[in-house]
Amino acid sequence: MKIARRCVCCEGASLTRSPAIVMPFLAWRVFGWQSVDITADWKLRDVAPGRAYALCNTLACMSCGLIFLDMRFDDEEMSALYADYRGDTYRMDRERFEPGYGHRNDLLLAGSNYIPRVEELLEPHLSAAPRILDWGGDTGVNTPFRARCGCHHVYDISVRPLVGGAVRVTRNDVAASTYDLVVLSHVLEHVSFPRDVIADIIPVLTRDTLLYIELPHENLMRLEISIASKSSMKRHWHEHINFFTERAIETLLDQAGLETLMCISHSIVAGGQPGHVFSLLARLKPGTHAICAR
């Protein structure tokens, strides 16, 4: 695990810092840490009795507006967090810390009911039967146009069974294929280094490939207050370790050699809970170095 010293989106160095805690489920899954009651029999001279949780910091980038957890988990820690993601063991662990989570887990496994809205947004930009790669797409249940796409490839660390028609692919398979649409849905809010994820995807894109990115427009980020004020309000961190502004995600893409064609925020219901998401469409900028496209 590393501690971020610069923005993980734009690499800006102007950051504000506010104290926060890591939620118990996250601390347990990643580090094996549990909250404890510090009592008088601990005989700690300089520590007051009380409930102790895993401490962290909320960071806010004053350049692009990203709000993020200072802890940046490494590959081993991320694997521990997402092992059997939404499977039986994951559900049991999370239910222990968050009673009632199981019902939401079931709803999420069933798939999102707002995908037709996403398809409506993307339809004007695509052919009738697009070739699609869903990067981080889990079972492929939420891949847009999966009922009528020319191919439905899913690249994901998960080993859960895919929906009908989807094919799990390796990095070598991806390198040997071309796509009309690459989907990166609800990935960037979870990862320690979003810039690295985008860099991995860039070589997959041709001049004609579209990249669809979807990520939460968190309620905190929608408040009409300063970034510094939002940062001081973010007192806990769970599996979403990056809270994006429109400027943050567009800066991330711009620095990677991508131009944003569309960016909208719209309301959804996912897992039985209302919220908002960003839907972005991007492609390689004209003149992007040839190594980034076939």
Short mmCIF file of all heavy atoms in Angstrom, two decimals, residues 2 9 11 31 46 57 76 80 83 86 98 137 165 176-177 183 203 209 213 227 230 235 271 276 291:
data_model
loop_
_atom_site.label_atom_id
_atom_site.label_comp_id
_atom_site.label_asym_id
_atom_site.label_seq_id
_atom_site.Cartn_x
_atom_site.Cartn_y
_atom_site.Cartn_z
N LYS A 2 0.53 2.21 -0.85
CA LYS A 2 1.23 3.48 -0.92
C LYS A 2 0.32 4.59 -0.42
O LYS A 2 -0.91 4.46 -0.42
CB LYS A 2 1.66 3.78 -2.36
CG LYS A 2 2.68 2.79 -2.93
CD LYS A 2 3.07 3.19 -4.34
CE LYS A 2 4.11 2.24 -4.91
NZ LYS A 2 4.50 2.61 -6.29
N CYS A 9 -5.40 11.47 -10.65
CA CYS A 9 -6.06 11.75 -11.93
C CYS A 9 -5.20 12.65 -12.81
O CYS A 9 -4.87 12.30 -13.93
CB CYS A 9 -7.41 12.42 -11.66
SG CYS A 9 -8.79 11.66 -12.52
N GLU A 11 -2.26 14.32 -11.59
CA GLU A 11 -0.93 14.43 -11.02
C GLU A 11 -0.64 15.80 -10.42
O GLU A 11 0.52 16.16 -10.18
CB GLU A 11 0.17 14.05 -12.04
CG GLU A 11 0.13 12.59 -12.44
CD GLU A 11 1.44 12.10 -13.02
OE1 GLU A 11 2.00 12.80 -13.89
OE2 GLU A 11 1.90 11.04 -12.58
N PHE A 31 -6.74 -5.54 4.85
CA PHE A 31 -5.61 -5.65 5.78
C PHE A 31 -5.79 -6.70 6.88
O PHE A 31 -4.85 -7.00 7.60
CB PHE A 31 -5.35 -4.30 6.46
CG PHE A 31 -5.07 -3.17 5.51
CD1 PHE A 31 -5.93 -2.08 5.44
CD2 PHE A 31 -3.96 -3.18 4.68
CE1 PHE A 31 -5.68 -1.03 4.57
CE2 PHE A 31 -3.70 -2.14 3.81
CZ PHE A 31 -4.56 -1.05 3.75
N ASP A 46 -1.12 7.61 27.09
CA ASP A 46 -1.41 8.79 26.27
C ASP A 46 -2.55 8.58 25.27
O ASP A 46 -2.75 9.40 24.38
CB ASP A 46 -0.15 9.21 25.51
CG ASP A 46 0.99 9.56 26.45
OD1 ASP A 46 0.71 10.20 27.49
OD2 ASP A 46 2.14 9.19 26.15
N ASN A 57 -6.77 9.43 5.38
CA ASN A 57 -7.02 10.83 5.05
C ASN A 57 -7.81 10.94 3.76
O ASN A 57 -7.63 10.13 2.83
CB ASN A 57 -5.70 11.60 4.88
CG ASN A 57 -5.02 11.87 6.20
OD1 ASN A 57 -5.50 12.65 7.01
ND2 ASN A 57 -3.88 11.21 6.41
N GLU A 76 -1.93 -7.04 -4.57
CA GLU A 76 -2.28 -8.08 -3.60
C GLU A 76 -3.45 -7.64 -2.73
O GLU A 76 -4.38 -8.41 -2.47
CB GLU A 76 -1.07 -8.43 -2.74
CG GLU A 76 -1.32 -9.56 -1.74
CD GLU A 76 -0.08 -9.91 -0.94
OE1 GLU A 76 1.01 -9.36 -1.21
OE2 GLU A 76 -0.20 -10.76 -0.03
N ALA A 80 -7.32 -9.13 -2.55
CA ALA A 80 -7.97 -9.54 -1.31
C ALA A 80 -9.34 -8.88 -1.18
O ALA A 80 -10.32 -9.53 -0.76
CB ALA A 80 -7.10 -9.19 -0.11
N ALA A 83 -11.78 -10.47 -3.99
CA ALA A 83 -11.89 -11.93 -4.14
C ALA A 83 -13.35 -12.35 -4.00
O ALA A 83 -14.05 -11.91 -3.09
CB ALA A 83 -11.03 -12.61 -3.07
N ARG A 86 -18.97 -10.14 -4.86
CA ARG A 86 -20.42 -10.36 -4.83
C ARG A 86 -20.82 -11.83 -4.82
O ARG A 86 -21.99 -12.17 -5.02
CB ARG A 86 -21.13 -9.62 -5.97
CG ARG A 86 -20.99 -8.09 -5.83
CD ARG A 86 -21.93 -7.34 -6.74
NE ARG A 86 -21.74 -5.91 -6.57
CZ ARG A 86 -21.60 -5.05 -7.57
NH1 ARG A 86 -21.65 -5.47 -8.82
NH2 ARG A 86 -21.44 -3.76 -7.35
N GLU A 98 -22.14 -5.17 7.63
CA GLU A 98 -23.21 -4.29 7.17
C GLU A 98 -24.50 -5.10 7.04
O GLU A 98 -24.89 -5.51 5.94
CB GLU A 98 -22.83 -3.68 5.81
CG GLU A 98 -21.51 -2.91 5.83
CD GLU A 98 -21.01 -2.58 4.44
OE1 GLU A 98 -21.83 -2.42 3.51
OE2 GLU A 98 -19.78 -2.48 4.26
N GLY A 137 -15.87 -6.03 -17.04
CA GLY A 137 -17.32 -6.21 -17.16
C GLY A 137 -17.91 -7.34 -16.35
O GLY A 137 -19.10 -7.65 -16.51
N GLY A 165 -23.80 -15.62 -24.72
CA GLY A 165 -23.27 -14.85 -25.83
C GLY A 165 -21.96 -14.15 -25.55
O GLY A 165 -21.26 -13.74 -26.48
N ALA A 176 -5.31 -9.06 -30.33
CA ALA A 176 -5.51 -9.60 -31.67
C ALA A 176 -6.86 -9.22 -32.27
O ALA A 176 -7.17 -9.63 -33.39
CB ALA A 176 -5.37 -11.12 -31.63
N SER A 177 -7.64 -8.44 -31.56
CA SER A 177 -9.00 -8.10 -32.00
C SER A 177 -9.13 -6.59 -32.22
O SER A 177 -8.30 -5.80 -31.77
CB SER A 177 -10.03 -8.54 -30.95
OG SER A 177 -9.92 -9.92 -30.68
N VAL A 183 -16.06 -0.67 -23.41
CA VAL A 183 -16.85 -0.22 -22.26
C VAL A 183 -15.99 -0.32 -21.00
O VAL A 183 -15.39 -1.37 -20.72
CB VAL A 183 -18.12 -1.09 -22.10
CG1 VAL A 183 -18.89 -0.69 -20.83
CG2 VAL A 183 -19.01 -0.96 -23.33
N PRO A 203 -3.89 1.18 -26.12
CA PRO A 203 -3.45 0.38 -27.28
C PRO A 203 -4.54 -0.46 -27.91
O PRO A 203 -4.38 -0.95 -29.04
CB PRO A 203 -2.35 -0.52 -26.67
CG PRO A 203 -1.89 0.19 -25.45
CD PRO A 203 -3.11 0.85 -24.90
N THR A 209 -12.50 3.43 -32.89
CA THR A 209 -13.07 2.83 -31.68
C THR A 209 -13.55 3.91 -30.72
O THR A 209 -12.85 4.90 -30.48
CB THR A 209 -12.03 1.96 -30.96
OG1 THR A 209 -11.49 1.00 -31.87
CG2 THR A 209 -12.67 1.23 -29.78
N ILE A 213 -17.21 5.36 -20.89
CA ILE A 213 -16.85 5.31 -19.48
C ILE A 213 -18.07 5.71 -18.65
O ILE A 213 -18.71 6.73 -18.91
CB ILE A 213 -15.68 6.25 -19.16
CG1 ILE A 213 -14.43 5.82 -19.92
CG2 ILE A 213 -15.40 6.27 -17.66
CD1 ILE A 213 -13.24 6.73 -19.73
N ILE A 227 -14.62 22.51 -3.29
CA ILE A 227 -13.96 21.21 -3.20
C ILE A 227 -13.38 21.00 -1.80
O ILE A 227 -13.47 19.91 -1.23
CB ILE A 227 -12.84 21.10 -4.26
CG1 ILE A 227 -13.44 21.04 -5.66
CG2 ILE A 227 -11.97 19.87 -4.01
CD1 ILE A 227 -14.30 19.82 -5.93
N LYS A 230 -16.15 19.96 0.48
CA LYS A 230 -16.54 18.57 0.23
C LYS A 230 -15.54 17.61 0.86
O LYS A 230 -15.91 16.59 1.45
CB LYS A 230 -16.64 18.32 -1.27
CG LYS A 230 -17.78 19.05 -1.96
CD LYS A 230 -17.74 18.84 -3.46
CE LYS A 230 -18.84 19.65 -4.15
NZ LYS A 230 -18.80 19.51 -5.62
N ARG A 235 -15.79 11.72 5.53
CA ARG A 235 -15.17 11.20 6.74
C ARG A 235 -14.96 9.70 6.73
O ARG A 235 -14.40 9.15 7.68
CB ARG A 235 -16.02 11.58 7.96
CG ARG A 235 -16.11 13.07 8.24
CD ARG A 235 -14.74 13.66 8.54
NE ARG A 235 -14.83 14.99 9.13
CZ ARG A 235 -13.79 15.76 9.38
NH1 ARG A 235 -12.59 15.33 9.10
NH2 ARG A 235 -13.95 16.96 9.93
N GLY A 271 -29.15 -1.34 -7.60
CA GLY A 271 -29.16 -2.05 -6.33
C GLY A 271 -30.26 -1.56 -5.40
O GLY A 271 -30.12 -1.62 -4.18
N HIS A 276 -26.76 8.98 -9.17
CA HIS A 276 -26.44 9.59 -10.46
C HIS A 276 -25.15 8.98 -10.99
O HIS A 276 -24.28 8.57 -10.21
CB HIS A 276 -26.25 11.11 -10.32
CG HIS A 276 -27.53 11.87 -10.18
ND1 HIS A 276 -28.28 11.86 -9.02
CD2 HIS A 276 -28.20 12.67 -11.06
CE1 HIS A 276 -29.35 12.61 -9.19
NE2 HIS A 276 -29.33 13.12 -10.41
N ILE A 291 1.57 4.57 -32.00
CA ILE A 291 1.71 3.44 -31.12
C ILE A 291 0.42 3.18 -30.34
O ILE A 291 0.16 2.09 -29.84
CB ILE A 291 2.88 3.61 -30.14
CG1 ILE A 291 3.24 2.27 -29.47
CG2 ILE A 291 2.57 4.64 -29.07
CD1 ILE A 291 4.50 2.32 -28.65
#
